Amino acid sequence: MGRGYTIFDTALGRCGIAWSDAGITGVQLPEAREIETRRRLFRQFPEAREQRPCSNTELAIKGITAMLRGQDVDFSDVTLDLAGVTPFNQRVYEAIRAIPRGETRGAEQIAAELHVPGALNSIAQALTKNTLVVIVPCHRVRDVGNGLDSLSPNSGIISKRRLLSLEGARPHAGLTLFDAFLAVDRRQAS
């Protein structure tokens, strides 16, 4: 089969997915236009050709589509191709995949879990190299500045905050004006 990719519809727009014989190699969430989604996939996987998805890819597409509709999804049955991923980054991705849906962890918590407390920079680099967004849910890791509105390289136009809201999470940072007024009203009622 070699390397393939396909573009598919979701509730948030047209996504892309790339795979090899070994498993999924990349996910691209929607850009503003489909042509931009295709360009980003092509830049990352220039050897991939548009093909019909295999069963593993279909399973991943089904999960991504459901996740972007706000449904709880388990990607543990999806086979990933991590051949080009360093062993350290693989450990980071395993730790991230263990974070429950709707919860977040700080990069320092991931570092402590991996027993590498001084590796915040390395963890940040692993996050930026994650081509398997949603399947390896890097949106569940808070940046040092708690940048939940930041965009990940493969998350297209969708922010971490948006992905977390689809999971039902209430991020710690950035109360809305409504939330702030509601908190004041609750204190006054007490």
Side-chain angles (χ1 to χ4, degrees):
M1 175 180 16
R3 291 189 179 260
Y5 81 91
T6 193
I7 303 294
F8 59 97
D9 290 316
T10 71
L12 300 180
R14 307 262 297 153
C15 291
I17 190 165
W19 66 90
S20 71
D21 291 337
I24 305 301
T25 56
V27 174
Q28 176 62 51
L29 295 182
E31 293 286 349
R33 298 179 313 163
E34 180 183 332
I35 190 70
E36 294 166 359
T37 303
R38 286 178 180 275
R39 281 184 188 136
R40 185 176 287 272
L41 269 176
F42 184 72
R43 277 194 303 267
Q44 288 189 300
F45 307 102
E47 69 286 354
R49 298 295 171 249
E50 194 161 15
Q51 299 179 20
R52 272 187 80 120
C54 61
S55 59
N56 181 57
T57 304
E58 287 287 353
L59 183 62
I61 289 171
K62 182 178 176 185
I64 293 165
T65 303
M67 189 272 175
L68 295 179
R69 279 194 313 261
Q71 298 174 351
D72 191 5
V73 177
D74 178 9
F75 288 105
S76 62
D77 290 339
V78 174
T79 304
L80 304 178
D81 179 353
L82 299 175
V85 179
T86 67
F88 178 81
N89 288 6
Q90 288 183 34
R91 288 181 55 215
V92 171
Y93 297 166
E94 286 174 30
I96 293 169
R97 289 183 86 183
I99 300 171
R101 178 181 190 266
E103 294 184 21
T104 62
R105 300 286 186 275
E108 63 283 345
Q109 290 171 288
I110 301 293
E113 183 179 321
L114 297 175
H115 306 289
V116 287
L120 292 180
N121 226 11
S122 298
I123 290 171
Q125 288 177 359
L127 294 174
T128 62
K129 291 179 180 177
N130 177 21
T131 62
L132 299 160
V133 293
V134 181
I135 297 173
V136 175
C138 58
H139 60 277
R140 295 179 186 160
V141 179
R142 294 184 307 274
D143 295 337
V144 174
N146 209 8
L148 294 174
D149 289 319
S150 64
L151 300 175
S152 297
N154 291 49
S155 66
I157 57 172
I158 302 171
S159 70
K160 287 182 175 188
R161 185 180 304 274
R162 177 75 187 271
L163 290 172
L164 287 168
S165 72
L166 288 169
E167 295 183 352
R170 302 263 321 149
H172 302 295
L175 287 179
T176 65
L177 189 56
F178 179 77
D179 292 332
F181 284 136
L182 190 58
V184 169
D185 284 344
R186 285 186 185 142
R187 275 186 257 135
Q188 289 176 351
S190 300

